[in-house]
Every structure is written in structure tokens, then in C-alpha cells.
Amino acid sequence: IKMIESKLRLKNLIAEYKVNSTRTHLYTRSNDKYADYIFFSPNIKVKSFQVLTDVVSDHAALYLEFV
């Protein structure tokens, strides 16, 4: 993840928004907190980003709106 951020110069929304986890309670195999990430270039303006509370799988739904 750090390599993607530094070498490709992409921003990580999970880190930017201090997201605690992208897993739901349905994931029980280990303590992995993150299943998904969103990376974007610095010239993209994020209008809204959320980790949704709807449980549809062991991955939390991610919502992104950008301009």
C-alpha cells in the first residue's frame, strides 16, 4: 500500500479518512481489518466518501462521489 501511495503518487482514501475497517461482522477468518481500498490521483476532487453500514457481504460497501 505504501508503495502505491509513494511510487505512483496516489492518495489512499482509507488512510485520508482514517477508516478503521472495510470488513463487516461476516468476516470471521482473521483480524484483517481491510479488504478494499480506493486510490486516486491528486487532481481528483472527492465530494463524498463513506463506508456504508449496509451488510451484504464480508466486505463493507464503499461509496465515493467525485467531481
Side-chain angles (χ1 to χ4, degrees):
I1 300 300
K2 295 291 182 195
M3 185 182 76
I4 292 170
E5 292 171 347
S6 64
K7 297 227 184 237
L8 299 178
R9 294 188 176 111
L10 296 176
K11 293 190 175 190
N12 176 356
L13 275 182
I14 300 304
E16 296 260 331
Y17 281 75
K18 296 178 176 55
V19 172
N20 292 325
S21 178
T22 60
R23 295 280 191 187
T24 69
H25 71 277
L26 298 177
Y27 186 75
T28 59
R29 290 189 281 178
S30 74
N31 289 332
D32 293 336
K33 291 182 174 186
Y34 303 101
D36 303 289
Y37 297 86
I38 295 178
F39 296 97
F40 65 100
S41 60
N43 62 331
I44 302 293
K45 292 198 176 236
V46 175
K47 186 174 180 181
S48 178
F49 172 70
Q50 299 174 46
V51 177
L52 301 179
T53 58
D54 304 340
V55 177
V56 294
S57 81
D58 61 337
H59 293 243
L62 304 179
Y63 173 86
L64 172 63
E65 185 178 356
F66 60 92
V67 293

